[in-house]
Amino acid sequence: MWCDDEGHLIDDGTVFCMAHHEYRVCTAERQLDWFTASAIGLDVEIREITEEIAALAVQGPTSCRVLQAVGLAGVERLKPFEHALFTMPRAPSGPAQIALMVSRTGFTGDLGYELWMQPGDAEAVWDALMAVGSTRALRPIGSRALNIARIEAGFLLPNLDFVSAAHTLHPGTERSPLELGLAWLVDFNKGHFTGRRSLLAEQRRGPRRQLVGLDVEGTNPPTTPCYIRGAREGRKRAA
């Protein structure tokens, strides 16, 4: 994750080590400007490859079996956040192969994988997944179903659970990693990073706000603002 100079969270993402001194960053929103500005004075090259890659997420308890069924032998050996290169047949009986990277990542909190490939191969991969998944309870889902799964897993979504510091319009609506329960992702021993001084000061005094998860009885989502024993304690961000 990365912050501004005041220690307010801009976004988070997943970093894949592709080779020695080569990394790929997957983010919720476009962050090229932030990376470009942060790279000033450093011996590093930054390249936008969003349009060069297509991605499909296969999530849930049968996801590993589905990927094995389309020919991704060994995918079961991937540990969380590990990735590897695989090939799969372009057609069930054809010799042509589709190259793709598979990572054991996702946004559901369940067993799951994300497949990264050339855009031209995405439709063939989708068709292969749907064909073998018909007997394994595989089906497409939308953002509403994903939102329920990620809330239950405690995963945060920018501009819903918090407003990115790059988009806030009103002072005081920014949030820091410490306020969002992400202090475990802040390494104060790694040396300088953007926002470190502000976050150290906040750590000493304690965060003014805290994002928490609530287990609400029944099926109705909580209202906002939220009251606990008659006292107003905050407002709902997502449900």
Side-chain angles (χ1 to χ4, degrees):
M1 66 180 178
W2 41 98
C3 301
D4 60 15
D5 289 335
E6 286 71 40
H8 298 139
L9 186 61
I10 295 177
D11 200 354
D12 69 345
T14 304
V15 181
F16 299 106
C17 181
M18 308 301 294
H20 185 58
H21 288 168
E22 181 181 347
Y23 300 88
R24 178 185 297 171
V25 182
C26 177
T27 65
E29 295 186 342
R30 184 178 183 274
Q31 300 295 342
L32 183 61
D33 294 342
W34 187 92
F35 280 103
T36 301
S38 299
I40 296 175
L42 301 178
D43 184 15
V44 61
E45 177 187 355
I46 299 174
R47 188 164 63 93
E48 173 86 52
I49 59 172
T50 301
E51 300 299 325
E52 302 174 21
I53 299 175
L56 290 172
V58 184
Q59 304 285 304
T62 65
S63 56
C64 184
R65 295 292 182 89
V66 169
L67 296 184
Q68 289 174 322
V70 295
L72 303 184
V75 70
E76 71 280 357
R77 291 193 289 270
L78 288 177
K79 298 178 181 179
F81 288 98
E82 285 188 341
H83 63 88
L85 300 179
F86 293 86
T87 59
M88 58 174 283
R90 185 171 296 277
S93 58
Q97 298 286 308
I98 296 175
L100 65 166
M101 185 184 87
V102 179
S103 59
R104 189 172 162 184
T105 51
F107 206 51
T108 63
D110 205 336
L111 173 67
Y113 303 83
E114 291 177 313
L115 283 56
W116 313 84
M117 69 215 77
Q118 295 292 323
D121 294 329
E123 185 175 353
V125 174
W126 174 278
D127 290 343
L129 291 171
M130 292 296 108
V132 303
S134 60
T135 59
R136 295 171 174 84
L138 182 69
R139 62 175 181 173
I141 67 167
S143 58
R144 290 187 179 181
L146 178 60
N147 194 47
I148 293 173
R150 68 96 189 165
I151 289 176
E152 292 177 346
F155 297 156
L156 304 186
L157 191 62
N159 299 318
L160 186 60
D161 298 313
F162 68 96
V163 179
S164 168
H167 302 310
T168 53
L169 300 177
H170 305 289
T173 57
E174 310 92 346
R175 295 293 181 264
S176 76
L178 308 188
E179 293 175 318
L180 296 172
L182 300 177
W184 61 280
L185 291 174
V186 181
D187 183 5
F188 289 110
N189 298 318
K190 64 175 291 184
H192 173 74
F193 59 86
T194 304
R196 182 177 186 273
R197 182 178 301 176
S198 298
L199 289 173
L200 279 172
E202 182 179 2
Q203 183 188 54
R204 288 192 292 268
R205 68 172 183 267
R208 297 187 178 95
R209 312 173 190 83
Q210 194 70 59
L211 181 68
V212 298
L214 300 177
D215 187 2
V216 181
E217 293 183 358
T219 58
N220 294 323
T223 59
T224 185
C226 299
Y227 293 85
I228 300 178
R229 298 185 182 90
R232 180 171 175 171
E233 297 292 344
R235 63 189 301 265
K236 177 189 70 178
R237 299 301 305 182

